[in-house]
Amino acid sequence: MRFSSFLAVPSIASLTLAQNLPLRTDSRWIVDAGGTRVKLRCINWAGHGETNIPEGLYKQNITHIADFIKSQGFACVRLTYAIEHALNPSLPVKDSFAAAASFSGVPMSTADYLYNRVIQNNAFVKNATIQDVHAAVIAALWDRQIMTVLDNHVSKATNIKPVLGNLTDGNGWWDHALGYNGPNSRYFNTDEWLDGLSAMATWAKSQTGVIAMSIRNELRPTPILQDTDGHAAWYNFVRQGAMRVHEANSDVLVIIGGSQSATDLSFIRAANLNFSGWAEKHVWEMHAYSFTVTFPNPTGSCTVAQGEYGFFDGFLLSQGQPYTAPLFISEFGVGLTGGPNSGVSDQDKTYFDCLKSWLISNDADWALWALQGSYYIREGQADVDETWGLMNNDWASLRNTVFPTWLTELFQVTQGPGIQRMRRIEGL
């Protein structure tokens, strides 16, 4: 199947695909082995849900989805996983679907149906483990010169809406940290998390195309109870997690987000994280949505919003500082249906235009949320539509044919080492 593409500058997008691995950092830039800028222009593909395999394989085969990603010009995929997956990589996919039914309350007959649909589209899964499926996705992407960022999204494989239940899903904050409470930390076993990071980093050494690992998605303390120790737990545990990754696999970049669901790194100004243990591999992480409470903006002022982005996270791009490192905006996005602006709501359109302007001015690394057009299971329901998904519910093509044109400028590379040389090579 041929896909229509919104990418107006394919020659620029192709530059990333030819870079020499492994990647490293140089001040605020990610560069290849030759020192040339590599801009992460990614899309998120969820694989951290109850089934413990990447979403969508019950609708399409891996080849189709990988071809779609390539056709849209993305240079990388942020592929999510659970620590439960990392510590049980040999679990057969069929057993994982059965466990997903038990945990989520979805009828076993429904889980069997979903599993059989996966087999119909991807026959190899019949005899595969959950890690085999992640490996097949990574291989298909790399066959198309698309890089993979492995993201530890949760500990217990669960799939909830980002606006709901963020402090009750048990995956929010380390259980060994000050202020333990079950609703937010019951699944976040610190020792298992560290062991899981080591296991995934070791495995990733055999997976060509894996260029980075994010140690944890959206760390979120319960107000008043957690993260009240001057961020001591954060400094302690992110350092341990980063070292586990780097000791197991010194090739991958190590991505670290702040508190408050990866929105607040402002405390780094006063006390930098010592990342000398993974020197030239450190990358900061930031998330931004229209509903992000760290960036309140009741009047919709872009000046206010961009000031907040800069205060809490963007300052980390200032060169020549002890904390200077790349900043990967690894999640942003909008609902793509039902709104008056080609499907996008007024609130989301205002937010998106402002964030886009900020990303362009910083020539930032980014990852759109999200690829998936649906979920196997989400919040106790099966075959759930994802209205934020770039792909439609059938995972056949684009959900919204206008929105991708709004992304075009984000693909351009305008700053960083080696850009002029690349432009001469490409005749731009």
Side-chain angles (χ1 to χ4, degrees):
M1 177 178 180
R2 292 180 63 103
F3 298 101
S4 58
S5 174
F6 62 81
L7 196 61
V9 283
S11 56
I12 293 177
S14 68
L15 295 175
T16 301
L17 308 183
Q19 304 300 339
N20 299 318
L21 303 182
L23 305 183
R24 60 180 177 85
T25 63
D26 178 7
S27 183
R28 61 147 293 187
W29 313 107
I30 296 171
V31 299
D32 68 7
T36 298
R37 167 90 191 277
V38 176
K39 181 176 178 179
L40 300 185
R41 292 158 289 186
C42 311
I43 191 163
N44 282 273
W45 187 350
H48 64 276
E50 286 87 344
T51 64
N52 273 300
I53 65 171
E55 301 290 343
L57 305 189
Y58 70 128
K59 297 289 182 78
Q60 299 289 342
N61 60 50
I62 291 173
T63 297
H64 173 91
I65 300 171
D67 283 342
F68 173 86
I69 295 169
K70 181 176 177 61
S71 75
Q72 302 308 311
F74 293 103
C76 50
V77 165
R78 182 174 180 253
L79 182 63
T80 68
Y81 71 93
I83 291 297
E84 181 180 28
H85 171 128
L87 296 179
N88 299 278
S90 298
L91 181 68
V93 176
K94 183 175 179 61
D95 292 349
S96 185
F97 271 75
S102 178
F103 178 76
S104 67
V106 168
M108 191 64 68
S109 59
T110 300
D112 287 341
Y113 169 76
L114 294 171
Y115 170 75
N116 288 326
R117 287 280 303 274
V118 172
I119 299 302
Q120 290 172 16
N121 287 305
N122 302 270
F124 82 94
V125 175
K126 184 175 183 179
N127 299 308
T129 67
I130 56 176
Q131 197 159 82
D132 290 337
V133 181
H134 269 68
V137 166
I138 292 167
L141 294 171
W142 189 244
D143 283 346
R144 292 155 181 79
Q145 297 182 294
I146 300 169
M147 301 174 290
T148 297
V149 175
L150 288 175
D151 167 66
N152 173 225
H153 218 69
V154 290
S155 290
K156 175 65 177 176
T158 48
N159 201 340
I160 65 169
K161 295 178 181 178
V163 187
L164 301 174
N166 273 357
L167 298 176
T168 61
D169 74 340
N171 286 297
W173 199 250
W174 298 278
D175 69 342
H176 288 184
L178 180 69
Y180 173 84
N181 68 93
N184 197 36
S185 302
R186 64 190 181 278
Y187 298 127
F188 200 160
N189 182 294
T190 306
D191 293 333
E192 290 182 354
W193 171 70
L194 292 169
D195 290 343
L197 290 177
S198 294
M200 286 300 282
T202 300
W203 173 74
K205 292 172 68 174
S206 66
Q207 305 301 308
T208 307
V210 175
I211 52 92
M213 290 185 62
S214 172
I215 65 170
R216 188 68 171 201
N217 177 72
E218 295 199 350
L219 291 161
R220 47 193 185 273
T222 300
I224 302 176
L225 296 177
Q226 296 174 316
D227 202 22
T228 59
D229 52 4
H231 307 292
W234 182 91
Y235 283 103
N236 178 20
F237 294 127
V238 301
R239 183 193 60 79
Q240 290 188 49
M243 287 304 301
R244 285 291 192 98
V245 169
H246 189 66
E247 288 169 354
N249 186 341
S250 60
D251 283 342
V252 295
L253 301 172
V254 179
I255 302 173
I256 297 176
S259 188
Q260 307 303 323
S261 298
T263 62
D264 184 5
L265 282 161
S266 60
F267 51 89
I268 294 298
R269 281 192 183 90
N272 188 30
L273 174 68
N274 182 358
F275 48 84
S276 60
W278 55 100
E280 297 190 343
K281 294 294 183 178
H282 180 73
V283 177
W284 299 112
E285 181 173 33
M286 167 189 171
H287 291 179
Y289 291 104
S290 61
F291 54 80
T292 300
V293 297
T294 308
F295 312 132
N297 189 16
T299 65
S301 166
C302 188
T303 300
V304 169
Q306 292 187 354
E308 292 171 336
Y309 299 152
F311 175 81
F312 286 101
D313 302 281
F315 71 94
L316 296 161
L317 294 173
S318 301
Q319 299 194 56
Q321 300 298 321
Y323 49 68
T324 302
L327 176 63
F328 180 33
I329 294 76
S330 59
E331 284 190 29
F332 72 100
V334 295
L336 296 174
T337 61
N341 306 285
S342 300
V344 177
S345 71
D346 289 337
Q347 180 183 5
D348 273 354
K349 182 65 164 61
T350 298
Y351 140 84
F352 178 82
D353 288 345
C354 184
L355 179 64
K356 174 183 171 181
S357 171
W358 187 78
L359 293 173
I360 291 171
S361 67
N362 288 287
D363 198 21
D365 300 278
W366 53 267
L368 177 71
W369 187 273
L371 173 71
Q372 56 269 10
S374 64
Y375 298 95
Y376 305 111
I377 297 170
R378 194 180 209 189
E379 298 181 337
Q381 302 296 315
D383 188 22
V384 178
D385 190 41
E386 173 54 279
T387 58
W388 291 52
L390 193 64
M391 299 194 81
N392 61 15
N393 183 269
D394 291 333
W395 291 68
S397 57
L398 289 167
R399 175 181 298 270
N400 180 323
T401 58
V402 174
F403 174 73
T405 65
W406 299 356
L407 298 174
T408 303
E409 292 176 272
L410 293 177
F411 281 87
Q412 298 180 31
V413 184
T414 61
Q415 303 176 41
I419 295 303
Q420 294 306 316
R421 181 179 64 82
M422 289 193 297
R423 288 180 176 273
R424 287 196 298 271
I425 291 172
E426 294 296 320
L428 296 175

